Amino acid sequence: MGKSVLVLEGGAMRSLFTSGVLDIFMENNINMDCTVGVSAGALVGSNYVSNQKGRTANININHCKDSKYIGVRAIKNNKGLVGFDYLFGGEIAKSNPFDEKEFINSKKRFVTGVTNCETGKTEYYDKDKENTYKLLQASSSMPLVSKVVEINGNPYLDGAIDCNVPIDWALKQGYEKIVVVLTRNKDYRKKPVSNKMKRMYKLVYSKYPNLLKTMYDRPNKYNETYDKIEKLESENKIFVLRPENNVDISRLERDQDKLKALYEEGINETKNKLSDLKNYLNS
């Protein structure tokens, strides 16, 4: 296998598909040299680098109805709909501890994409023991439902605002083998941001004009990225794993049956393409 990179899209609870994919990777000792993720892709990817098969699925399926994780109690404690304190330091962390030592000491490179609110652009950071949780939180802090996260004096939000799939980063880094995991089906494309949503963004983020520009243009950039991925895939320059059908899962989905089904789809899709994946990596 040449120098390889795993590129992970976000998608909040749609990342259950990704967790199914990566559990099969771990089960079959598919160890990529680097993992780069944005938003929920970064959260799932961190468990791949720490080699904790099943952890993402256990947390999101078993705790999706817990309001301290997602809901009113999370708002009280975190000023946002997602309870990052509960995830990183509360009951979830106690029952499903993150192996930070394995994560930091792993030879696998791990890169997190976050959106700088001042510039509206993505910044990429290698794993950093001091800021591990802050980077994961910032990358997963969805607009309107999460507070801005400050790291070293800079304000950050969801890494997927500017870059939904960090494929360009992987290409610029010169990786020979690129495996992309998407959380939407092949035909999916985003619709333009509605005027109502633009007004909401402006109301909340008026002091970040560059961030607003990025938010307004996000569907165009998102769709261009998906088009580019499809082209690279057709040229056999990258390998893509994605859901076959439309994913009927909301960002903060609380239906356990839907989440289990999406997780199993990720498992089955990867098993079905495992031979092709290995051939691609070893070619």
Side-chain angles (χ1 to χ4, degrees):
M1 185 190 300
K3 195 166 68 164
S4 60
V5 62
L6 177 63
V7 179
L8 305 178
E9 182 177 16
M13 283 299 192
R14 290 192 300 274
S15 65
L16 261 297
F17 177 84
T18 308
S19 65
V21 172
L22 297 191
D23 280 356
I24 296 303
F25 274 40
M26 285 183 271
E27 190 176 291
N28 288 272
N29 294 312
I30 298 176
N31 296 304
M32 307 293 285
D33 296 312
C34 174
T35 298
V36 57
V38 294
S39 197
L43 287 173
V44 180
S46 67
N47 291 320
Y48 167 67
V49 174
S50 66
N51 198 33
Q52 292 181 272
K53 180 176 178 284
R55 183 172 185 267
T56 300
N58 287 337
I59 290 172
N60 288 325
I61 293 173
N62 295 330
H63 294 272
C64 65
K65 295 183 179 182
D66 189 335
S67 68
K68 286 182 286 186
Y69 181 37
I70 302 172
V72 292
R73 296 178 74 180
I75 295 174
K76 179 182 178 182
N77 296 328
N78 292 259
K79 297 181 181 179
L81 277 173
V82 179
F84 289 106
D85 66 330
Y86 191 56
L87 174 62
F88 296 138
E91 293 174 35
I92 291 179
K94 292 176 183 177
S95 60
N96 297 272
F98 179 59
D99 192 342
E100 187 175 2
K101 183 177 180 180
E102 175 66 23
F103 173 77
I104 293 296
N105 293 333
S106 172
K107 292 181 180 180
K108 298 175 187 173
R109 185 184 181 191
F110 181 78
V111 179
T112 306
V114 292
T115 301
N116 185 312
C117 297
E118 297 284 1
T119 65
K121 301 299 182 182
T122 309
E123 294 177 3
Y124 295 96
Y125 292 93
D126 278 275
K127 55 186 174 182
D128 173 358
K129 185 176 182 180
E130 184 177 346
N131 290 310
T132 294
Y133 297 118
K134 279 287 187 181
L135 286 168
L136 291 174
Q137 179 180 350
S139 189
S140 306
S141 291
M142 295 177 287
L144 302 180
V145 300
S146 301
K147 67 178 181 179
V148 171
V149 177
E150 188 173 295
I151 303 175
N152 297 327
N154 297 312
Y156 295 102
L157 274 176
D158 198 322
I161 296 173
D162 178 51
C163 177
N164 59 302
V165 188
I167 182 68
D168 286 336
W169 181 90
L171 291 167
K172 288 176 182 177
Q173 291 285 310
Y175 285 101
E176 299 169 15
K177 297 295 180 179
I178 301 175
V179 177
V180 180
V181 183
L182 303 177
T183 55
R184 292 287 195 180
N185 61 296
K186 193 171 186 177
D187 296 330
Y188 178 81
R189 296 296 184 275
K190 278 192 177 296
K191 296 179 181 178
V193 179
S194 67
N195 289 330
K196 179 181 179 181
M197 188 60 70
K198 285 182 179 180
R199 288 193 294 269
M200 291 179 66
Y201 284 151
K202 190 172 184 179
L203 181 67
V204 178
Y205 302 111
S206 59
K207 69 176 182 178
Y208 300 123
N210 291 321
L211 180 66
L212 287 174
K213 290 178 184 178
T214 300
M215 288 174 162
Y216 297 163
D217 191 50
R218 187 178 180 228
N220 290 331
K221 191 169 184 180
Y222 186 103
N223 295 341
E224 287 173 1
T225 299
Y226 258 48
D227 289 342
K228 183 173 188 174
I229 286 171
E230 196 168 325
K231 181 175 184 296
L232 290 169
E233 181 185 23
S234 69
E235 296 169 348
N236 200 37
K237 292 179 179 178
I238 65 174
F239 192 94
V240 182
L241 290 160
R242 58 165 73 82
E244 286 294 313
N245 302 306
N246 180 49
V247 179
D248 182 26
I249 295 272
S250 67
R251 289 190 303 171
L252 299 176
E253 184 64 59
R254 305 183 81 176
D255 186 321
Q256 291 177 308
D257 290 335
K258 282 186 176 182
L259 295 175
K260 287 177 183 177
L262 185 58
Y263 172 61
E264 289 169 2
E265 183 178 355
I267 288 173
N268 293 331
E269 183 67 15
T270 309
K271 284 182 176 179
N272 291 338
K273 295 186 176 178
L274 195 57
S275 178
D276 292 339
L277 172 62
K278 289 180 178 179
N279 288 336
Y280 168 77
L281 291 173
N282 293 311
S283 63

